Structure formats: C-alpha cells, structure tokens
Amino acid sequence: MADTALNVPAQAAYSRFHQRLHRRYGDELSLLPPGPPERASMEQALSALLERGLDLSAALRVLRQLVMERTMVLDCEQQAPLAVVTRAVTELAELALERACIQVRAELDARHGAPQGPEGRPVQLWIIGMGKLGARELNVSSDIDLIYVYEQDGDTAGLPDGRGVLSNHEYFARVVKGIYGLIGDTTEHGFVFRVDLALRPNGNSGPSAVSLASLEEYLQTHGREWERFAWLKSRVVAPMDSVRSTQVQALRAVVLPFVFRRYLDYAVFDALRSLHRQIREHAARRSAGHPGRSNDVKLSRGGIREIEFTVQLLQVVRGGQFPELRCRPTLEALGRLARAGLMSQEVADALGAAYTFLRRVEHRIQYLDDQQTHVLPTRDDDLEWIARTMGFADTCAFLHQFDAHREKVAEEFDTLLGGSAPPQCSAGRCNGARSPAQGGTPREIDGLMEQLPPALAAHVADWRGNARIANLRDEARSRLFRLVQRTAQWVAERSVPEDAAVRFLNWLEPLLRRESYLALLLERPAVHERLLDLLGAARWPARYLQQHPGVIDELANDAMLGERFSPMDFEHELALRLAALQTTGEDDDETLLNLLRRAHHAEVFRTLPRDIEGRITVEQVGDDLSAL
C-alpha cells in the first residue's frame, strides 16, 4: 500500500484494456468463480469454456482474458496484495502449459508412438520456467521464458506396423512447436502468453529442446556467468507428472552445481557489472530523445532489475556454502539474506518495499492497454489513474514516492557493486574502504615490481619463475597484481606493517588456483585489510587460513566482532542448511559432514579476531571453544 493511502474509489473501468474485455467477453466473465483466480477456479472456467464448444487454443485465450479482468478489479479496486496477482498469472501459465503439453503429446503419440530410452523405458519432458515464471512472480503482461529438456536420446516406439518412428530429438522439437501454437500464436482471441526460448543452450541458434546430457555438457563447457543468474530461478513447471517424479532429481544434479559453486564465488561481480552495464546502455539508447522512457520501472536506474540483481548476486556468491540462501522469490530471498547477516534488516525491508511498490506500478502500466511495457505513461490522466489506484492523493505525491524508492535501490546496488556511490559499510559488506593508487595495473611482473617497496619487490621477483603465476588467466593475473598494488599502497601509508604484507603474499601463493579468493579480496577491501591485520598479529592465523581459506569471508561481518558463540544459533543455522539440502536431495553423508566441518572452521575462526582485538578474555575464548 502507498504511504498516503486514501479511501478513494479506484475504478478498473478506466483501463482501455478493461473496457475492451467487457465489450468482447461480457457474457463469459461470470464463468470464472468469484475471488482471486487460483488453479482450481481456472480449471473450472476452462472446463466451462470447452463445454461451450471452444477448442483448447481458444478456451485458454479466453481464460486469460477472464483472469486479467479479475486481477485488475482485485488490484485496482480492492488493493489486493502483490502475491495475489503474481500467483494468478503464474498458475495460469502452469495450467496452460500443462494442458497444451498433454494435448500435443497425445496427438504425437498417436502418430509416432511414445519416446523411449534404453530398454524401452518412457522418456520424460521437463518444461523449465525461468525468471519470473520460475519464481512464481509473473507480471500481468509478461512473456514466459522457457527451456525444454528431455530425459534421454532414443527413438519413439512407432506404430504397430513399424511406421512413424522419430528420434526423440525430433519428437520433442515437434512438442515445442505444438505447445507454442496453443499458447503463443496470436488469434482472434489474442494469445495466452508470449513465449521466449532465448535462454536455452546456445540461445536462438540452439535446438528448441535439448537432452539432459546435452544440457549438462553445455553448462559445464560453455555456460556463462550471466546464465547462472538465469538458472537460479529455474523450476520445472509442467507437466505435473514430471514435476512430481523422482527422475527430476537428475536435472537438479546438473543445474545446482552450475549455479552454486562449492567455494565463495566473488568472480561473478565482474560478470554482473558487465551485464548491468549493457542493460543500462540499452535503456539509455531507448530513452535518447524520449525523456519519458527514462521512467522505466524495470530497467532504469533504481528499477526492479537492480533489486533482482542485488538479491541474486548475494545468493550466487554464497549459495554454494550456505544452501539456506537458495530460493527463487525475490521477497523471500531478501528475508533470508537479512537473517544470514548479508544485509541489514533495514535495507532488506527498504528493498522489499521498493520491489512491491514498483511491481504494483508495473502492473498498472500494463493494465492500461495490455502492452508489455514498463515505462510510466506520459498522459496526465493515465498517471493520475495510476497514482489514485496506488492510494495517493495526486500524481505529485505518487512521483515523490516513486523517486524515493528508486533512489534507495540505486544507492544499495551501487554500493554492492562498488559503483559511484560514496564508500560505506553496512551489515556484512564494505566497498571502497581504500583503493589502490590510480595509474593502471601493469601486465608484467617487472612493471609491478617498480611500484613496490623493497621487501615486497624482492618477494614478487621470485614469481618470475613460479608456474602458478605463469599459468594464471589474464583476468586472474590482473586481480593478483591489483591486490599487490593495494597492499603496497597501505604499506606506504604505514597502516600495514611490511612483514604482514609479506606474510600475506606467502599465504596467497598456494591459493592462486582458486581464483575466487582473489576476486573476494579485491571486491571487499575491508576483508583484505582485516586479513592483513590478523596476519601481522601472529603466525597461527596464517597456518589456519592456509588450511581453511574459505573462512576469510567471515571477516566481512563487522557485527561478528561484538558477538559470542551461541550454541542455539549454531544449531539453528545448521538446521536451516540441512532442510535446504533435503529439499534438493543433496543431504548425503559426505555433504552433511562437509557442512558441519565448514561451520566448525568458521566458528573457530570468528573467535580469533575477537581474541586478538581484545573483544573477549582468554577465559571466554576457552568457554566458547568448549561450547563449540
């Protein structure tokens, strides 16, 4: 709800789309039972439409129009929660895909027999919803991003006389085409959903349906960082017998290791920066000469996409080690990130409020004319209608709140990615603590040595014959050199002792094959700085960190220093991780033992800076480790 809610009647009938629906489908609107559209009530309306003589294609399209009319009334006149609207549209998509898949496969099976795997076993099809469909967050004029994956290659059974045999590949390609005809084609009743297959392996140049083995090979060999964000929200949405089957675990086993890496994965920051830069540049080109287009609630600065990126980045970075962070819906993920200390509850609440506000605005933009647009209208009367249906007295009050939400989103996003926002720290992350001197990063070791104090230069000189250094990718070598530059700058400023800097380089060398640690330290100057402090204080931290380097991310949490070990919290966190692993079938003994080891290593390490900085006494150190 808006901050300035009013008891002003907000009539959905202002919408041109609403007016068209009542002119065209006034006699059918009553077929959808009263209340929020849900799967059961939509099934009932679909049956009634089929009984009236419509074929499945027409019935699904008319059903879509009935659902859209109902959501407009609920949203604009009754201020229904966002979840009511997104659930209705998502369940409409699931129902449409289910019914279309059943009909198309029945027709193909009658002509070619069912697809088979080894020993004649039936082969499953998984229709994977990506993005907002996977997260159950579809907007009212959304397209649906799909990927079709079938279980195994082979051939169909054919007809009794041996005719009609197809390869499974060709069979499922025809399934995809048939489903598109029932859902995506535009007819006299419009479409059910626009369908986009661009996220499939190899994009628009790839086959429309791929085998599980082909998907696995693609993700392992060619999968790009931005695709991990796309697969993060993936979910098998149809057909229902495949959703409920045990075989779907084989698909999870392929996707999860691709999205969530075993180690903390800060290398994705650069990939997200690049992707976000492309999106902003595209938005800037679209708005050039059209100032109104800069008010894009999805793609402009501070828009919905930046909230989603903020959430997904933190999930991808840490979701491998902390499975309780894995979830698809944006609002639920914000809550989980706050509970994990990766953002303050205040920031999570602010981003959640902005997300809800912007999504409700997005829906009203689309209600106006049933167009897939995210740009605020320029007509004064349209803007006033949006403001009033959001509960504001006038357009100015609405735009003030609109700008405030976007500014907060942009500020948090820029802080996370180390953008143009001023340096600041909050609840477990810090950017811009100190940055290396300007002047660029040298490409060769000799050039780097020229910038270093004598002790560091002498150490780096030995790298000229080091195979680990020579075998680094160009990107990793650049990260390493930038870390050394930053360390040397801090030595020159006398904030870091030279012996601590040398210990840091000694500690870093054996870990160079794990490039994610270079990315972590570069992305989080506060972690780099605190690590140098620890290495300078004693030798034991260096040995422990050599054995368990993943614990260094604990240094990013400022609140950690003022805390004590809590057995109750420790058990609760482990219980959350166990529950998350059980939902994806990853709760085997080895995984669970590794989970326990990592949690133990992290807790031991947290005690170290508390001790060194004098936050707890020697007796308290003993008490905490004994309790652990």
Side-chain angles (χ1 to χ4, degrees):
M1 291 289 291
D3 296 345
T4 353
L6 297 175
N7 294 318
V8 175
Q11 298 300 323
Y14 174 86
S15 153
R16 274 88 66 183
F17 179 39
H18 185 277
Q19 295 166 21
R20 292 201 305 271
L21 290 179
H22 275 260
R23 286 195 300 269
R24 180 73 171 81
Y25 300 104
D27 294 339
E28 287 83 10
L29 291 175
S30 61
L31 296 179
L32 184 63
E38 297 177 349
R39 181 75 177 249
S41 62
M42 286 187 266
E43 290 269 17
Q44 185 176 334
L46 181 62
S47 296
L49 290 166
L50 292 170
E51 289 172 3
R52 289 192 173 192
L54 297 178
D55 61 18
L56 182 63
S57 171
L60 286 173
R61 283 160 174 75
V62 174
L63 176 63
R64 187 252 180 188
Q65 314 296 6
L66 305 187
V67 171
M68 291 300 105
E69 193 275 344
R70 180 67 53 78
T71 60
M72 269 189 272
V73 172
L74 291 170
D75 195 356
C76 298
E77 297 189 3
Q78 301 178 27
Q79 302 294 299
L82 173 65
V84 168
V85 178
T86 55
R87 175 183 174 182
V89 185
T90 298
E91 292 189 353
L92 174 64
E94 293 170 349
L95 170 60
L97 287 167
E98 172 81 8
R99 297 297 290 267
C101 184
I102 290 172
Q103 176 166 309
V104 170
R105 290 199 63 173
E107 293 171 353
L108 285 171
D109 287 356
R111 293 197 297 269
H112 305 287
Q116 302 177 122
E119 302 176 2
R121 290 196 301 269
V123 174
Q124 289 198 348
L125 172 68
W126 297 303
I127 304 178
I128 303 172
M130 309 291 280
K132 288 186 170 63
L133 174 56
R136 297 182 171 91
E137 298 172 329
L138 280 180
N139 64 52
V140 295
S141 189
S142 181
D143 57 6
I144 52 176
D145 293 297
L146 301 177
I147 296 178
Y148 291 87
V149 178
Y150 57 92
E151 191 176 6
Q152 292 172 315
D153 282 314
D155 297 304
T156 64
L159 301 177
D161 60 5
R163 293 180 299 114
V165 175
L166 293 176
S167 69
N168 288 353
H169 179 78
E170 175 61 24
Y171 173 93
F172 286 112
R174 295 188 184 188
V175 171
V176 173
K177 185 175 180 180
I179 291 176
Y180 182 85
L182 287 172
I183 291 177
D185 280 342
T186 300
T187 71
E188 61 172 311
H189 298 292
F191 51 80
V192 190
F193 285 94
R194 305 173 189 87
V195 179
D196 191 341
L197 304 182
L199 293 177
R200 68 188 187 270
N202 296 302
N204 291 327
S205 62
S208 58
V210 297
S211 69
L212 180 60
S214 297
L215 174 65
E216 182 174 21
E217 180 183 3
Y218 173 83
L219 294 180
Q220 289 180 352
T221 308
H222 304 292
R224 290 158 290 183
E225 296 292 348
W226 67 263
E227 289 178 285
R228 295 171 61 195
F229 293 95
W231 280 96
L232 170 66
K233 294 197 174 205
S234 65
R235 176 174 62 93
V236 179
V237 296
M240 285 308 297
D241 58 351
S242 294
V243 174
R244 300 189 182 107
S245 72
T246 56
Q247 291 98 309
V248 78
Q249 182 61 34
L251 176 62
R252 292 194 188 106
V254 168
V255 173
L256 284 173
F258 172 67
V259 177
F260 301 109
R261 303 294 161 83
R262 182 177 176 185
Y263 301 103
L264 294 168
D265 187 14
Y266 283 79
V268 297
F269 273 74
D270 281 342
L272 185 57
R273 283 193 189 98
S274 176
L275 176 60
H276 181 251
R277 183 168 55 250
Q278 293 173 31
I279 290 172
R280 275 199 176 169
E281 288 173 354
H282 174 69
R285 286 195 298 271
R286 287 180 65 249
S287 61
H290 302 276
R293 293 182 184 174
S294 63
N295 283 324
D296 188 315
V297 300
K298 180 179 180 180
L299 300 180
S300 292
R301 182 176 182 272
I304 296 166
R305 182 58 54 83
E306 291 192 356
I307 303 173
E308 294 171 336
F309 278 171
T310 298
V311 170
Q312 291 170 346
L313 179 59
L314 293 173
Q315 287 181 290
V316 168
V317 167
R318 295 184 62 110
Q321 287 201 355
F322 303 96
E324 67 272 25
L325 297 177
R326 304 175 190 172
C327 70
R328 301 177 186 92
T330 302
L331 293 174
E332 180 185 348
L334 280 168
R336 295 192 184 198
L337 292 169
R339 287 193 294 273
L342 295 178
M343 66 172 57
S344 69
Q345 188 63 54
E346 179 185 4
V347 169
D349 290 344
L351 293 181
Y355 180 80
T356 301
F357 181 93
L358 294 174
R359 288 298 309 273
R360 295 181 72 227
V361 173
E362 176 186 50
H363 286 158
R364 281 153 177 74
I365 293 170
Q366 295 168 349
Y367 290 145
L368 283 168
D369 295 292
D370 192 28
Q371 295 296 310
Q372 192 182 24
T373 178
H374 314 277
V375 179
L376 280 183
T378 54
R379 281 177 47 172
D380 290 343
D381 53 347
D382 286 350
L383 266 179
E384 183 180 4
W385 178 77
I386 290 175
R388 290 191 174 275
T389 59
M390 291 285 291
F392 289 90
D394 53 44
T395 303
C396 288
F398 161 71
L399 291 176
H400 176 76
Q401 186 66 69
F402 178 74
D403 289 339
H405 280 306
R406 291 207 302 173
E407 190 57 39
K408 179 62 177 176
V409 171
E411 174 188 319
E412 291 300 322
F413 185 77
D414 287 340
T415 300
L416 180 65
L417 285 189
S420 57
Q424 55 185 289
C425 301
S426 63
R429 71 177 191 274
C430 186
N431 287 291
R434 297 177 189 172
S435 45
Q438 300 298 316
T441 303
R443 297 179 62 85
E444 302 298 334
I445 289 175
D446 288 343
L448 176 63
M449 289 170 55
E450 294 174 2
Q451 302 179 11
L452 305 179
L456 290 186
H459 190 95
V460 169
D462 294 337
W463 287 0
R464 284 180 289 203
N466 189 316
R468 287 194 186 98
I469 306 294
N471 292 332
L472 284 176
R473 298 181 305 120
D474 289 345
E475 185 179 11
R477 178 190 292 254
S478 173
R479 286 188 177 124
L480 173 63
F481 284 10
R482 287 154 67 192
L483 279 175
V484 174
Q485 284 179 300
R486 183 198 281 161
T487 305
Q489 179 185 340
W490 292 347
V491 170
E493 294 172 354
R494 301 187 183 279
S495 61
V496 171
E498 201 163 17
D499 62 337
V502 172
R503 280 187 196 171
F504 170 68
L505 297 185
N506 282 328
W507 170 80
L508 194 58
E509 283 178 33
L511 298 173
L512 291 177
R513 63 188 177 85
R514 296 184 186 174
E515 296 177 10
S516 60
Y517 293 124
L518 297 177
L520 184 158
L521 292 167
L522 199 60
E523 291 291 344
R524 294 198 167 183
V527 175
H528 181 195
E529 187 174 18
R530 198 168 277 163
L531 175 61
L532 286 164
D533 292 340
L534 283 179
L535 294 175
R539 294 186 181 278
W540 185 86
R543 291 195 300 271
Y544 194 80
L545 284 164
Q546 200 76 62
Q547 293 175 299
H548 314 298
V551 300
I552 62 174
D553 194 56
E554 300 296 329
L555 296 173
N557 190 347
D558 292 318
M560 172 266 298
L561 289 172
E563 297 169 351
R564 293 281 303 280
F565 173 64
S566 166
M568 186 181 299
D569 291 345
F570 186 75
E571 289 187 356
H572 178 65
E573 288 179 10
L574 286 177
L576 290 175
R577 283 168 208 167
L578 173 60
L581 291 172
Q582 287 172 333
T583 61
T584 54
E586 298 174 276
D587 55 330
D588 57 277
D589 288 350
E590 182 181 359
T591 299
L592 295 182
L593 284 171
N594 284 333
L595 183 154
L596 193 59
R597 291 185 188 105
R598 283 196 300 268
H600 172 259
H601 297 154
E603 202 60 56
V604 169
F605 183 70
R606 288 171 186 161
T607 308
L608 175 66
R610 294 169 188 164
D611 184 14
I612 287 177
E613 296 194 14
R615 303 296 184 98
I616 56 178
T617 66
V618 173
E619 290 79 8
Q620 289 172 323
V621 170
D623 290 344
D624 286 356
L625 293 179
S626 296
L628 174 60

